[in-house]
Amino acid sequence: MLTVQVESLGKSFGKKVVLENIDLDFSMPGITTILGPNASGKTTMIKSILGMVFPDKGVVRVNGMVVNGQSAYKKDISYLPQIAQFPENLKVTELIKLIEDIRGKGHRADALIDLFGLRPHLNERITILSGGTKQKVNVVLAFMYDNPLLILDEPTNGLDPVALVRLKDLIRKEVEMGKVIIITTHIMELVEELSDRIIYMLEGRVHFKGTVDELKLAYGSTTVEKSIARMLEAGEMTSDEKQSLA
């Protein structure tokens, strides 16, 4: 099992503070869902874990080791970006081979291709694929390696109902294997169905971290969506911030 700790993390872009003194621990198996409006710091924090952004202060530790400037630990992480920038001139099969040339053989690739109905599209170029089919390719690339940590940024984008059900089943199976999974999403139904723990971020700060039941108990509600709405009301946030919550 991979352990991930974020300690006193801070990051600014110019005068804009994006992360402020973030302390989080992602070491427990199961699903941690990160919620918050746009520009809350979710993506910057994830990119800090992935080594794509270097913090101004604080550290990220993976298995106890500070990752700043390191790369070897990334082989144990599967990442599904919100917007996958694939080389559009490649065919799907060529893209999968390209990733395998970089990361090694994806032992589950064939099973995932069949699970998400991609076999008829293997010889099609990325540029002609629909958004939903591109997302299925994105899912295959993220799940074809048996890694202990999965980071899934808006994984349901563009998926049809059948693919969505299969993705949720796939995520549940990963949890049963004792993996650490971090998800960002705006789909409250997905949060209710899958999440073990919730982190709510706003303006670069963590405003809540705990289990789903703890969130509901804290705000006296039966759903995550209503609990977060009451959290926002209790914090007297602006109408723009309330509207940005999904």
Side-chain angles (χ1 to χ4, degrees), residues 3-11 19-26 44-45 47-51 53-62 64-70 73:
T3 63
V4 180
Q5 287 91 27
V6 175
E7 301 174 2
S8 303
L9 205 67
K11 180 66 181 178
L19 296 176
E20 187 171 356
N21 200 35
I22 303 293
D23 289 295
L24 294 170
D25 190 329
F26 297 103
T44 301
M45 186 183 64
K47 288 185 175 180
S48 297
I49 295 172
L50 293 167
V53 167
F54 293 94
D56 299 326
K57 60 180 180 179
V59 297
V60 175
R61 298 182 189 274
V62 175
M65 302 293 292
V66 176
V67 304
N68 205 8
Q70 305 298 316
Y73 75 98

PDB file of all heavy atoms in Angstrom, residues 3-11 19-26 44-45 47-51 53-62 64-70 73:
ATOM      1  N   THR A   3       1.608   5.149   0.822  1.00  0.00           N
ATOM      2  CA  THR A   3       1.197   6.196   1.757  1.00  0.00           C
ATOM      3  C   THR A   3       1.533   7.557   1.169  1.00  0.00           C
ATOM      4  O   THR A   3       2.608   7.755   0.592  1.00  0.00           O
ATOM      5  CB  THR A   3       1.897   6.043   3.115  1.00  0.00           C
ATOM      6  OG1 THR A   3       3.315   6.192   2.953  1.00  0.00           O
ATOM      7  CG2 THR A   3       1.616   4.670   3.709  1.00  0.00           C
ATOM      8  N   VAL A   4       0.609   8.495   1.301  1.00  0.00           N
ATOM      9  CA  VAL A   4       0.783   9.844   0.759  1.00  0.00           C
ATOM     10  C   VAL A   4       0.386  10.854   1.828  1.00  0.00           C
ATOM     11  O   VAL A   4      -0.748  10.830   2.315  1.00  0.00           O
ATOM     12  CB  VAL A   4      -0.074  10.062  -0.500  1.00  0.00           C
ATOM     13  CG1 VAL A   4       0.139  11.476  -1.048  1.00  0.00           C
ATOM     14  CG2 VAL A   4       0.245   9.031  -1.570  1.00  0.00           C
ATOM     15  N   GLN A   5       1.323  11.735   2.185  1.00  0.00           N
ATOM     16  CA  GLN A   5       1.026  12.813   3.127  1.00  0.00           C
ATOM     17  C   GLN A   5       1.362  14.164   2.501  1.00  0.00           C
ATOM     18  O   GLN A   5       2.408  14.314   1.855  1.00  0.00           O
ATOM     19  CB  GLN A   5       1.840  12.664   4.428  1.00  0.00           C
ATOM     20  CG  GLN A   5       1.381  11.537   5.334  1.00  0.00           C
ATOM     21  CD  GLN A   5       2.095  10.233   5.059  1.00  0.00           C
ATOM     22  OE1 GLN A   5       3.224  10.232   4.580  1.00  0.00           O
ATOM     23  NE2 GLN A   5       1.449   9.125   5.361  1.00  0.00           N
ATOM     24  N   VAL A   6       0.470  15.105   2.696  1.00  0.00           N
ATOM     25  CA  VAL A   6       0.670  16.488   2.274  1.00  0.00           C
ATOM     26  C   VAL A   6       0.842  17.301   3.547  1.00  0.00           C
ATOM     27  O   VAL A   6      -0.040  17.308   4.406  1.00  0.00           O
ATOM     28  CB  VAL A   6      -0.535  17.001   1.464  1.00  0.00           C
ATOM     29  CG1 VAL A   6      -0.377  18.474   1.131  1.00  0.00           C
ATOM     30  CG2 VAL A   6      -0.706  16.179   0.185  1.00  0.00           C
ATOM     31  N   GLU A   7       1.974  17.988   3.683  1.00  0.00           N
ATOM     32  CA  GLU A   7       2.301  18.666   4.937  1.00  0.00           C
ATOM     33  C   GLU A   7       2.569  20.149   4.708  1.00  0.00           C
ATOM     34  O   GLU A   7       3.502  20.528   3.987  1.00  0.00           O
ATOM     35  CB  GLU A   7       3.538  18.020   5.569  1.00  0.00           C
ATOM     36  CG  GLU A   7       3.366  16.533   5.862  1.00  0.00           C
ATOM     37  CD  GLU A   7       4.654  15.880   6.353  1.00  0.00           C
ATOM     38  OE1 GLU A   7       5.662  16.598   6.507  1.00  0.00           O
ATOM     39  OE2 GLU A   7       4.643  14.651   6.572  1.00  0.00           O
ATOM     40  N   SER A   8       1.722  20.991   5.304  1.00  0.00           N
ATOM     41  CA  SER A   8       1.890  22.451   5.291  1.00  0.00           C
ATOM     42  C   SER A   8       2.117  22.988   3.880  1.00  0.00           C
ATOM     43  O   SER A   8       2.907  23.904   3.662  1.00  0.00           O
ATOM     44  CB  SER A   8       3.066  22.861   6.192  1.00  0.00           C
ATOM     45  OG  SER A   8       2.867  22.396   7.504  1.00  0.00           O
ATOM     46  N   LEU A   9       1.386  22.448   2.916  1.00  0.00           N
ATOM     47  CA  LEU A   9       1.620  22.770   1.515  1.00  0.00           C
ATOM     48  C   LEU A   9       1.116  24.178   1.180  1.00  0.00           C
ATOM     49  O   LEU A   9      -0.008  24.551   1.538  1.00  0.00           O
ATOM     50  CB  LEU A   9       0.914  21.743   0.620  1.00  0.00           C
ATOM     51  CG  LEU A   9       1.502  21.550  -0.780  1.00  0.00           C
ATOM     52  CD1 LEU A   9       2.884  20.930  -0.691  1.00  0.00           C
ATOM     53  CD2 LEU A   9       0.587  20.659  -1.614  1.00  0.00           C
ATOM     54  N   GLY A  10       1.959  24.934   0.509  1.00  0.00           N
ATOM     55  CA  GLY A  10       1.575  26.265   0.066  1.00  0.00           C
ATOM     56  C   GLY A  10       2.048  26.527  -1.345  1.00  0.00           C
ATOM     57  O   GLY A  10       3.132  26.113  -1.735  1.00  0.00           O
ATOM     58  N   LYS A  11       1.208  27.212  -2.121  1.00  0.00           N
ATOM     59  CA  LYS A  11       1.575  27.534  -3.494  1.00  0.00           C
ATOM     60  C   LYS A  11       0.872  28.811  -3.937  1.00  0.00           C
ATOM     61  O   LYS A  11      -0.329  28.988  -3.702  1.00  0.00           O
ATOM     62  CB  LYS A  11       1.194  26.384  -4.442  1.00  0.00           C
ATOM     63  CG  LYS A  11       1.554  26.641  -5.902  1.00  0.00           C
ATOM     64  CD  LYS A  11       3.051  26.712  -6.121  1.00  0.00           C
ATOM     65  CE  LYS A  11       3.417  26.981  -7.572  1.00  0.00           C
ATOM     66  NZ  LYS A  11       4.874  27.091  -7.763  1.00  0.00           N
ATOM     67  N   LEU A  19      -2.799  27.532  -2.797  1.00  0.00           N
ATOM     68  CA  LEU A  19      -2.852  26.589  -1.677  1.00  0.00           C
ATOM     69  C   LEU A  19      -2.268  27.273  -0.452  1.00  0.00           C
ATOM     70  O   LEU A  19      -1.224  27.928  -0.537  1.00  0.00           O
ATOM     71  CB  LEU A  19      -2.041  25.325  -1.986  1.00  0.00           C
ATOM     72  CG  LEU A  19      -2.500  24.447  -3.146  1.00  0.00           C
ATOM     73  CD1 LEU A  19      -1.517  23.296  -3.353  1.00  0.00           C
ATOM     74  CD2 LEU A  19      -3.911  23.903  -2.909  1.00  0.00           C
ATOM     75  N   GLU A  20      -2.943  27.096   0.686  1.00  0.00           N
ATOM     76  CA  GLU A  20      -2.481  27.751   1.907  1.00  0.00           C
ATOM     77  C   GLU A  20      -2.482  26.761   3.070  1.00  0.00           C
ATOM     78  O   GLU A  20      -3.539  26.364   3.569  1.00  0.00           O
ATOM     79  CB  GLU A  20      -3.367  28.954   2.233  1.00  0.00           C
ATOM     80  CG  GLU A  20      -2.860  29.781   3.398  1.00  0.00           C
ATOM     81  CD  GLU A  20      -3.628  31.084   3.566  1.00  0.00           C
ATOM     82  OE1 GLU A  20      -4.502  31.374   2.720  1.00  0.00           O
ATOM     83  OE2 GLU A  20      -3.360  31.800   4.541  1.00  0.00           O
ATOM     84  N   ASN A  21      -1.287  26.322   3.443  1.00  0.00           N
ATOM     85  CA  ASN A  21      -1.087  25.497   4.636  1.00  0.00           C
ATOM     86  C   ASN A  21      -1.976  24.244   4.630  1.00  0.00           C
ATOM     87  O   ASN A  21      -2.719  23.983   5.570  1.00  0.00           O
ATOM     88  CB  ASN A  21      -1.349  26.322   5.895  1.00  0.00           C
ATOM     89  CG  ASN A  21      -0.692  25.699   7.113  1.00  0.00           C
ATOM     90  OD1 ASN A  21       0.392  25.123   7.024  1.00  0.00           O
ATOM     91  ND2 ASN A  21      -1.344  25.817   8.263  1.00  0.00           N
ATOM     92  N   ILE A  22      -1.863  23.451   3.583  1.00  0.00           N
ATOM     93  CA  ILE A  22      -2.680  22.251   3.425  1.00  0.00           C
ATOM     94  C   ILE A  22      -2.001  21.061   4.111  1.00  0.00           C
ATOM     95  O   ILE A  22      -0.838  20.742   3.836  1.00  0.00           O
ATOM     96  CB  ILE A  22      -2.898  21.913   1.933  1.00  0.00           C
ATOM     97  CG1 ILE A  22      -3.550  23.089   1.201  1.00  0.00           C
ATOM     98  CG2 ILE A  22      -3.725  20.643   1.781  1.00  0.00           C
ATOM     99  CD1 ILE A  22      -4.958  23.393   1.636  1.00  0.00           C
ATOM    100  N   ASP A  23      -2.742  20.393   4.994  1.00  0.00           N
ATOM    101  CA  ASP A  23      -2.287  19.168   5.653  1.00  0.00           C
ATOM    102  C   ASP A  23      -3.310  18.071   5.393  1.00  0.00           C
ATOM    103  O   ASP A  23      -4.457  18.167   5.841  1.00  0.00           O
ATOM    104  CB  ASP A  23      -2.133  19.368   7.166  1.00  0.00           C
ATOM    105  CG  ASP A  23      -0.954  20.253   7.521  1.00  0.00           C
ATOM    106  OD1 ASP A  23       0.186  19.843   7.248  1.00  0.00           O
ATOM    107  OD2 ASP A  23      -1.184  21.343   8.074  1.00  0.00           O
ATOM    108  N   LEU A  24      -2.897  17.028   4.661  1.00  0.00           N
ATOM    109  CA  LEU A  24      -3.807  15.934   4.330  1.00  0.00           C
ATOM    110  C   LEU A  24      -3.042  14.618   4.331  1.00  0.00           C
ATOM    111  O   LEU A  24      -1.837  14.583   4.069  1.00  0.00           O
ATOM    112  CB  LEU A  24      -4.440  16.150   2.944  1.00  0.00           C
ATOM    113  CG  LEU A  24      -5.388  17.349   2.803  1.00  0.00           C
ATOM    114  CD1 LEU A  24      -5.737  17.575   1.341  1.00  0.00           C
ATOM    115  CD2 LEU A  24      -6.646  17.131   3.635  1.00  0.00           C
ATOM    116  N   ASP A  25      -3.783  13.557   4.603  1.00  0.00           N
ATOM    117  CA  ASP A  25      -3.191  12.218   4.608  1.00  0.00           C
ATOM    118  C   ASP A  25      -4.077  11.308   3.754  1.00  0.00           C
ATOM    119  O   ASP A  25      -5.259  11.124   4.049  1.00  0.00           O
ATOM    120  CB  ASP A  25      -3.107  11.678   6.042  1.00  0.00           C
ATOM    121  CG  ASP A  25      -2.288  10.404   6.143  1.00  0.00           C
ATOM    122  OD1 ASP A  25      -2.276   9.630   5.166  1.00  0.00           O
ATOM    123  OD2 ASP A  25      -1.672  10.174   7.193  1.00  0.00           O
ATOM    124  N   PHE A  26      -3.488  10.765   2.707  1.00  0.00           N
ATOM    125  CA  PHE A  26      -4.220   9.881   1.795  1.00  0.00           C
ATOM    126  C   PHE A  26      -3.767   8.430   1.933  1.00  0.00           C
ATOM    127  O   PHE A  26      -3.767   7.682   0.962  1.00  0.00           O
ATOM    128  CB  PHE A  26      -4.017  10.329   0.345  1.00  0.00           C
ATOM    129  CG  PHE A  26      -4.548  11.692   0.037  1.00  0.00           C
ATOM    130  CD1 PHE A  26      -3.694  12.768  -0.075  1.00  0.00           C
ATOM    131  CD2 PHE A  26      -5.900  11.905  -0.137  1.00  0.00           C
ATOM    132  CE1 PHE A  26      -4.166  14.034  -0.373  1.00  0.00           C
ATOM    133  CE2 PHE A  26      -6.396  13.162  -0.435  1.00  0.00           C
ATOM    134  CZ  PHE A  26      -5.520  14.232  -0.548  1.00  0.00           C
ATOM    135  N   THR A  44      -4.331  21.983  -8.348  1.00  0.00           N
ATOM    136  CA  THR A  44      -2.954  22.312  -7.966  1.00  0.00           C
ATOM    137  C   THR A  44      -2.438  21.333  -6.917  1.00  0.00           C
ATOM    138  O   THR A  44      -1.269  20.920  -6.967  1.00  0.00           O
ATOM    139  CB  THR A  44      -2.869  23.751  -7.432  1.00  0.00           C
ATOM    140  OG1 THR A  44      -3.319  24.653  -8.443  1.00  0.00           O
ATOM    141  CG2 THR A  44      -1.442  24.112  -7.050  1.00  0.00           C
ATOM    142  N   MET A  45      -3.302  20.947  -5.977  1.00  0.00           N
ATOM    143  CA  MET A  45      -2.875  19.986  -4.966  1.00  0.00           C
ATOM    144  C   MET A  45      -2.562  18.629  -5.600  1.00  0.00           C
ATOM    145  O   MET A  45      -1.547  17.994  -5.301  1.00  0.00           O
ATOM    146  CB  MET A  45      -3.935  19.814  -3.883  1.00  0.00           C
ATOM    147  CG  MET A  45      -3.464  18.938  -2.729  1.00  0.00           C
ATOM    148  SD  MET A  45      -4.746  18.675  -1.523  1.00  0.00           S
ATOM    149  CE  MET A  45      -5.947  17.757  -2.480  1.00  0.00           C
ATOM    150  N   LYS A  47      -1.694  18.064  -8.706  1.00  0.00           N
ATOM    151  CA  LYS A  47      -0.476  18.185  -9.508  1.00  0.00           C
ATOM    152  C   LYS A  47       0.772  18.264  -8.624  1.00  0.00           C
ATOM    153  O   LYS A  47       1.857  17.867  -9.050  1.00  0.00           O
ATOM    154  CB  LYS A  47      -0.573  19.398 -10.429  1.00  0.00           C
ATOM    155  CG  LYS A  47      -1.552  19.194 -11.584  1.00  0.00           C
ATOM    156  CD  LYS A  47      -1.547  20.368 -12.550  1.00  0.00           C
ATOM    157  CE  LYS A  47      -2.447  20.086 -13.746  1.00  0.00           C
ATOM    158  NZ  LYS A  47      -2.460  21.213 -14.707  1.00  0.00           N
ATOM    159  N   SER A  48       0.612  18.734  -7.399  1.00  0.00           N
ATOM    160  CA  SER A  48       1.740  18.728  -6.456  1.00  0.00           C
ATOM    161  C   SER A  48       2.087  17.306  -6.061  1.00  0.00           C
ATOM    162  O   SER A  48       3.263  16.944  -5.950  1.00  0.00           O
ATOM    163  CB  SER A  48       1.399  19.563  -5.217  1.00  0.00           C
ATOM    164  OG  SER A  48       1.190  20.917  -5.540  1.00  0.00           O
ATOM    165  N   ILE A  49       1.067  16.473  -5.845  1.00  0.00           N
ATOM    166  CA  ILE A  49       1.303  15.064  -5.531  1.00  0.00           C
ATOM    167  C   ILE A  49       1.985  14.363  -6.700  1.00  0.00           C
ATOM    168  O   ILE A  49       2.892  13.544  -6.516  1.00  0.00           O
ATOM    169  CB  ILE A  49      -0.018  14.356  -5.171  1.00  0.00           C
ATOM    170  CG1 ILE A  49      -0.595  14.932  -3.874  1.00  0.00           C
ATOM    171  CG2 ILE A  49       0.186  12.844  -5.029  1.00  0.00           C
ATOM    172  CD1 ILE A  49      -1.984  14.418  -3.548  1.00  0.00           C
ATOM    173  N   LEU A  50       1.590  14.724  -7.905  1.00  0.00           N
ATOM    174  CA  LEU A  50       2.131  14.102  -9.113  1.00  0.00           C
ATOM    175  C   LEU A  50       3.491  14.668  -9.523  1.00  0.00           C
ATOM    176  O   LEU A  50       4.104  14.178 -10.468  1.00  0.00           O
ATOM    177  CB  LEU A  50       1.153  14.274 -10.268  1.00  0.00           C
ATOM    178  CG  LEU A  50      -0.173  13.514 -10.144  1.00  0.00           C
ATOM    179  CD1 LEU A  50      -1.173  14.012 -11.179  1.00  0.00           C
ATOM    180  CD2 LEU A  50       0.052  12.017 -10.301  1.00  0.00           C
ATOM    181  N   GLY A  51       3.948  15.692  -8.819  1.00  0.00           N
ATOM    182  CA  GLY A  51       5.232  16.308  -9.178  1.00  0.00           C
ATOM    183  C   GLY A  51       5.161  17.203 -10.387  1.00  0.00           C
ATOM    184  O   GLY A  51       6.190  17.557 -10.972  1.00  0.00           O
ATOM    185  N   VAL A  53       3.624  20.201 -10.224  1.00  0.00           N
ATOM    186  CA  VAL A  53       3.726  21.543  -9.642  1.00  0.00           C
ATOM    187  C   VAL A  53       4.629  21.453  -8.428  1.00  0.00           C
ATOM    188  O   VAL A  53       4.498  20.529  -7.614  1.00  0.00           O
ATOM    189  CB  VAL A  53       2.335  22.082  -9.230  1.00  0.00           C
ATOM    190  CG1 VAL A  53       2.465  23.322  -8.350  1.00  0.00           C
ATOM    191  CG2 VAL A  53       1.484  22.397 -10.459  1.00  0.00           C
ATOM    192  N   PHE A  54       5.557  22.390  -8.294  1.00  0.00           N
ATOM    193  CA  PHE A  54       6.456  22.416  -7.142  1.00  0.00           C
ATOM    194  C   PHE A  54       5.939  23.435  -6.125  1.00  0.00           C
ATOM    195  O   PHE A  54       5.779  24.609  -6.453  1.00  0.00           O
ATOM    196  CB  PHE A  54       7.878  22.776  -7.578  1.00  0.00           C
ATOM    197  CG  PHE A  54       8.525  21.729  -8.430  1.00  0.00           C
ATOM    198  CD1 PHE A  54       8.473  21.813  -9.817  1.00  0.00           C
ATOM    199  CD2 PHE A  54       9.171  20.651  -7.854  1.00  0.00           C
ATOM    200  CE1 PHE A  54       9.057  20.839 -10.606  1.00  0.00           C
ATOM    201  CE2 PHE A  54       9.761  19.678  -8.641  1.00  0.00           C
ATOM    202  CZ  PHE A  54       9.705  19.766 -10.015  1.00  0.00           C
ATOM    203  N   PRO A  55       5.675  22.986  -4.903  1.00  0.00           N
ATOM    204  CA  PRO A  55       5.136  23.911  -3.895  1.00  0.00           C
ATOM    205  C   PRO A  55       6.155  24.960  -3.489  1.00  0.00           C
ATOM    206  O   PRO A  55       7.368  24.737  -3.563  1.00  0.00           O
ATOM    207  CB  PRO A  55       4.792  22.980  -2.725  1.00  0.00           C
ATOM    208  CG  PRO A  55       5.698  21.803  -2.895  1.00  0.00           C
ATOM    209  CD  PRO A  55       5.860  21.622  -4.385  1.00  0.00           C
ATOM    210  N   ASP A  56       5.642  26.107  -3.038  1.00  0.00           N
ATOM    211  CA  ASP A  56       6.502  27.163  -2.510  1.00  0.00           C
ATOM    212  C   ASP A  56       6.954  26.840  -1.090  1.00  0.00           C
ATOM    213  O   ASP A  56       8.023  27.257  -0.653  1.00  0.00           O
ATOM    214  CB  ASP A  56       5.771  28.503  -2.521  1.00  0.00           C
ATOM    215  CG  ASP A  56       5.375  28.938  -3.926  1.00  0.00           C
ATOM    216  OD1 ASP A  56       6.135  28.637  -4.867  1.00  0.00           O
ATOM    217  OD2 ASP A  56       4.305  29.557  -4.082  1.00  0.00           O
ATOM    218  N   LYS A  57       6.105  26.131  -0.370  1.00  0.00           N
ATOM    219  CA  LYS A  57       6.462  25.707   0.983  1.00  0.00           C
ATOM    220  C   LYS A  57       5.739  24.404   1.295  1.00  0.00           C
ATOM    221  O   LYS A  57       4.780  24.029   0.622  1.00  0.00           O
ATOM    222  CB  LYS A  57       6.099  26.773   2.012  1.00  0.00           C
ATOM    223  CG  LYS A  57       4.622  27.124   2.066  1.00  0.00           C
ATOM    224  CD  LYS A  57       4.369  28.192   3.108  1.00  0.00           C
ATOM    225  CE  LYS A  57       2.880  28.546   3.164  1.00  0.00           C
ATOM    226  NZ  LYS A  57       2.603  29.573   4.207  1.00  0.00           N
ATOM    227  N   GLY A  58       6.229  23.714   2.321  1.00  0.00           N
ATOM    228  CA  GLY A  58       5.661  22.421   2.663  1.00  0.00           C
ATOM    229  C   GLY A  58       6.183  21.322   1.760  1.00  0.00           C
ATOM    230  O   GLY A  58       6.957  21.574   0.824  1.00  0.00           O
ATOM    231  N   VAL A  59       5.741  20.092   2.023  1.00  0.00           N
ATOM    232  CA  VAL A  59       6.225  18.943   1.267  1.00  0.00           C
ATOM    233  C   VAL A  59       5.105  17.956   0.995  1.00  0.00           C
ATOM    234  O   VAL A  59       4.087  17.934   1.677  1.00  0.00           O
ATOM    235  CB  VAL A  59       7.369  18.200   2.012  1.00  0.00           C
ATOM    236  CG1 VAL A  59       8.574  19.093   2.178  1.00  0.00           C
ATOM    237  CG2 VAL A  59       6.883  17.687   3.372  1.00  0.00           C
ATOM    238  N   VAL A  60       5.337  17.129  -0.015  1.00  0.00           N
ATOM    239  CA  VAL A  60       4.526  15.936  -0.265  1.00  0.00           C
ATOM    240  C   VAL A  60       5.429  14.740  -0.019  1.00  0.00           C
ATOM    241  O   VAL A  60       6.541  14.674  -0.548  1.00  0.00           O
ATOM    242  CB  VAL A  60       3.990  15.905  -1.711  1.00  0.00           C
ATOM    243  CG1 VAL A  60       3.246  14.594  -1.970  1.00  0.00           C
ATOM    244  CG2 VAL A  60       3.088  17.105  -1.981  1.00  0.00           C
ATOM    245  N   ARG A  61       4.964  13.804   0.797  1.00  0.00           N
ATOM    246  CA  ARG A  61       5.717  12.587   1.072  1.00  0.00           C
ATOM    247  C   ARG A  61       4.968  11.379   0.525  1.00  0.00           C
ATOM    248  O   ARG A  61       3.767  11.230   0.745  1.00  0.00           O
ATOM    249  CB  ARG A  61       5.933  12.392   2.580  1.00  0.00           C
ATOM    250  CG  ARG A  61       6.729  13.490   3.252  1.00  0.00           C
ATOM    251  CD  ARG A  61       6.930  13.190   4.747  1.00  0.00           C
ATOM    252  NE  ARG A  61       7.508  14.332   5.435  1.00  0.00           N
ATOM    253  CZ  ARG A  61       8.807  14.573   5.518  1.00  0.00           C
ATOM    254  NH1 ARG A  61       9.660  13.715   4.963  1.00  0.00           N
ATOM    255  NH2 ARG A  61       9.264  15.633   6.147  1.00  0.00           N
ATOM    256  N   VAL A  62       5.661  10.534  -0.188  1.00  0.00           N
ATOM    257  CA  VAL A  62       5.121   9.258  -0.657  1.00  0.00           C
ATOM    258  C   VAL A  62       5.980   8.156  -0.038  1.00  0.00           C
ATOM    259  O   VAL A  62       7.201   8.142  -0.214  1.00  0.00           O
ATOM    260  CB  VAL A  62       5.129   9.160  -2.190  1.00  0.00           C
ATOM    261  CG1 VAL A  62       4.676   7.776  -2.640  1.00  0.00           C
ATOM    262  CG2 VAL A  62       4.226  10.234  -2.789  1.00  0.00           C
ATOM    263  N   GLY A  64       6.838   8.052   2.913  1.00  0.00           N
ATOM    264  CA  GLY A  64       7.752   8.696   3.845  1.00  0.00           C
ATOM    265  C   GLY A  64       8.846   9.530   3.211  1.00  0.00           C
ATOM    266  O   GLY A  64       9.570  10.231   3.911  1.00  0.00           O
ATOM    267  N   MET A  65       8.976   9.474   1.889  1.00  0.00           N
ATOM    268  CA  MET A  65      10.041  10.188   1.193  1.00  0.00           C
ATOM    269  C   MET A  65       9.494  11.462   0.544  1.00  0.00           C
ATOM    270  O   MET A  65       8.448  11.438  -0.107  1.00  0.00           O
ATOM    271  CB  MET A  65      10.668   9.300   0.118  1.00  0.00           C
ATOM    272  CG  MET A  65      11.254   8.000   0.657  1.00  0.00           C
ATOM    273  SD  MET A  65      12.687   8.260   1.728  1.00  0.00           S
ATOM    274  CE  MET A  65      13.870   8.859   0.518  1.00  0.00           C
ATOM    275  N   VAL A  66      10.206  12.575   0.714  1.00  0.00           N
ATOM    276  CA  VAL A  66       9.816  13.824   0.059  1.00  0.00           C
ATOM    277  C   VAL A  66       9.985  13.674  -1.454  1.00  0.00           C
ATOM    278  O   VAL A  66      11.035  13.237  -1.934  1.00  0.00           O
ATOM    279  CB  VAL A  66      10.677  14.991   0.575  1.00  0.00           C
ATOM    280  CG1 VAL A  66      10.334  16.280  -0.172  1.00  0.00           C
ATOM    281  CG2 VAL A  66      10.476  15.192   2.077  1.00  0.00           C
ATOM    282  N   VAL A  67       8.947  14.038  -2.205  1.00  0.00           N
ATOM    283  CA  VAL A  67       8.944  13.754  -3.647  1.00  0.00           C
ATOM    284  C   VAL A  67       9.430  14.922  -4.487  1.00  0.00           C
ATOM    285  O   VAL A  67       9.563  14.792  -5.701  1.00  0.00           O
ATOM    286  CB  VAL A  67       7.537  13.346  -4.130  1.00  0.00           C
ATOM    287  CG1 VAL A  67       7.021  12.169  -3.340  1.00  0.00           C
ATOM    288  CG2 VAL A  67       6.566  14.528  -4.042  1.00  0.00           C
ATOM    289  N   ASN A  68       9.677  16.068  -3.886  1.00  0.00           N
ATOM    290  CA  ASN A  68      10.045  17.256  -4.643  1.00  0.00           C
ATOM    291  C   ASN A  68      11.253  16.979  -5.544  1.00  0.00           C
ATOM    292  O   ASN A  68      12.362  16.745  -5.080  1.00  0.00           O
ATOM    293  CB  ASN A  68      10.364  18.401  -3.686  1.00  0.00           C
ATOM    294  CG  ASN A  68      10.163  19.764  -4.337  1.00  0.00           C
ATOM    295  OD1 ASN A  68       9.653  19.855  -5.449  1.00  0.00           O
ATOM    296  ND2 ASN A  68      10.568  20.807  -3.649  1.00  0.00           N
ATOM    297  N   GLY A  69      11.027  16.977  -6.848  1.00  0.00           N
ATOM    298  CA  GLY A  69      12.104  16.739  -7.799  1.00  0.00           C
ATOM    299  C   GLY A  69      12.379  15.277  -8.094  1.00  0.00           C
ATOM    300  O   GLY A  69      13.197  14.958  -8.959  1.00  0.00           O
ATOM    301  N   GLN A  70      11.689  14.372  -7.402  1.00  0.00           N
ATOM    302  CA  GLN A  70      11.882  12.939  -7.633  1.00  0.00           C
ATOM    303  C   GLN A  70      10.905  12.443  -8.699  1.00  0.00           C
ATOM    304  O   GLN A  70       9.899  13.085  -8.986  1.00  0.00           O
ATOM    305  CB  GLN A  70      11.675  12.152  -6.333  1.00  0.00           C
ATOM    306  CG  GLN A  70      12.548  12.617  -5.179  1.00  0.00           C
ATOM    307  CD  GLN A  70      14.026  12.440  -5.475  1.00  0.00           C
ATOM    308  OE1 GLN A  70      14.449  11.417  -5.982  1.00  0.00           O
ATOM    309  NE2 GLN A  70      14.809  13.471  -5.170  1.00  0.00           N
ATOM    310  N   TYR A  73       8.854   7.402  -7.846  1.00  0.00           N
ATOM    311  CA  TYR A  73       7.608   7.033  -7.171  1.00  0.00           C
ATOM    312  C   TYR A  73       6.407   7.047  -8.124  1.00  0.00           C
ATOM    313  O   TYR A  73       5.387   6.390  -7.862  1.00  0.00           O
ATOM    314  CB  TYR A  73       7.346   7.975  -5.991  1.00  0.00           C
ATOM    315  CG  TYR A  73       6.859   9.351  -6.388  1.00  0.00           C
ATOM    316  CD1 TYR A  73       5.498   9.661  -6.358  1.00  0.00           C
ATOM    317  CD2 TYR A  73       7.742  10.347  -6.800  1.00  0.00           C
ATOM    318  CE1 TYR A  73       5.045  10.913  -6.719  1.00  0.00           C
ATOM    319  CE2 TYR A  73       7.308  11.594  -7.169  1.00  0.00           C
ATOM    320  CZ  TYR A  73       5.950  11.886  -7.127  1.00  0.00           C
ATOM    321  OH  TYR A  73       5.499  13.126  -7.496  1.00  0.00           O
TER     322      TYR A  73
END
